[in-house]
Structure formats: C-alpha cells, structure tokens
Amino acid sequence: MNRISSVAAILGVSIVIISIIGRFLNYIPFGQRNMMLVIGLTCMLLGTLWKVVQEMNGDDDN
C-alpha cells in the first residue's frame, strides 16, 4: 500500500511540472493549466497524507 501513495505523490509532482513547463512553452491553454495545477497539488497532498497515516498505523503493530 505504501507504493500506491508514492505513485500518487509522484503523479502529482509530474502533473505540476508539466503544467509549469506548458506555461513557458505556451502549448497548454490557461484553463487547462490551472486545472492541472489543482489536480497535481491535490494528488501530492493526498499521497503524502496517505503515506503518513499508513506509517502511523504501522507503528502501532510493533
């Protein structure tokens, strides 16, 4: 399950990087770029929170 949270966080980072590069190269329209930023930041947040919760729950087993 830790792998899924890492993939979600990396997916979010890649979406944010693509939207930033798209701004400088002008190949992504403004509305889509904003949507990509929101989705990317949300994926990063959820992936990070998911990983923290999993680690906190894993420590209780020991």
Side-chain angles (χ1 to χ4, degrees), residues 10-51:
I10 291 172
L11 178 69
V13 169
S14 63
I15 291 173
V16 169
I17 290 173
I18 290 170
S19 67
I20 291 171
I21 291 172
R23 178 177 185 261
F24 292 115
L25 298 177
N26 290 327
Y27 68 89
I28 299 175
F30 181 74
Q32 289 179 354
R33 192 170 58 233
N34 286 341
M35 185 175 58
M36 287 176 68
L37 283 171
V38 169
I39 292 171
L41 291 172
T42 303
C43 285
M44 289 189 322
L45 177 69
L46 290 177
T48 304
L49 287 176
W50 194 358
K51 194 168 200 168

